[in-house]
Structure formats: C-alpha cells, structure tokens
Amino acid sequence: MPVPPGERPRLTVPTRDGPILVEGPVEVVLNDGTTVTSDRFMVAVCACRRSRTYPWCDTSHRRRARE
C-alpha cells in the first residue's frame, strides 16, 4: 500500500532475538481475522510468539530458551 501524499511511512525496527518495534498507533490483524489496536507512540510486536499478551511483546523471549 503506497504512503499517502504528505505522510511519511511508519518506522519499524526489528530487534535481534526480540520484538519488532513499530511506530504507533497500530492495528494488527491476527490469524483468526480479529483486529487488535494500540494507540501508544511505539509498540513492541512479538516476533517469537512466546508472549502471553500476543501480539504485544511481554519480554517472554528473555526468559525462555529458543527451541
């Protein structure tokens, strides 16, 4: 999807062994089709699927060994 004229693209920052930081606000569409939103200025989206608050990161990747 192209960025509308006069707007800049959202900043996304993948982190090593951690979440993807996304400049908010954001909407995330889950596999079952439901949509979750966050109005925070920066959102940590879970990339490892270990979070108990998925799709938001709760830092579970720090406590659990990767299989």
Side-chain angles (χ1 to χ4, degrees):
M1 175 185 285
V3 177
E7 290 188 26
R8 62 182 181 77
R10 294 281 183 199
L11 174 67
T12 58
V13 182
T15 58
R16 181 184 168 109
D17 298 325
I20 300 171
L21 302 177
V22 182
E23 188 176 44
V26 299
E27 286 187 344
V28 177
V29 179
L30 302 176
N31 287 340
D32 66 3
T34 59
T35 302
V36 293
T37 60
S38 175
D39 60 357
R40 296 181 62 124
F41 70 93
M42 186 65 75
V43 178
V45 178
C46 178
C48 70
R49 298 188 70 85
R50 295 180 184 133
S51 175
R52 287 183 290 276
T53 60
Y54 188 82
W56 317 124
C57 179
D58 68 0
T59 68
S60 290
H61 60 273
R62 295 180 189 167
R63 295 184 299 277
R64 300 179 188 168
R66 187 176 292 267
E67 296 176 6

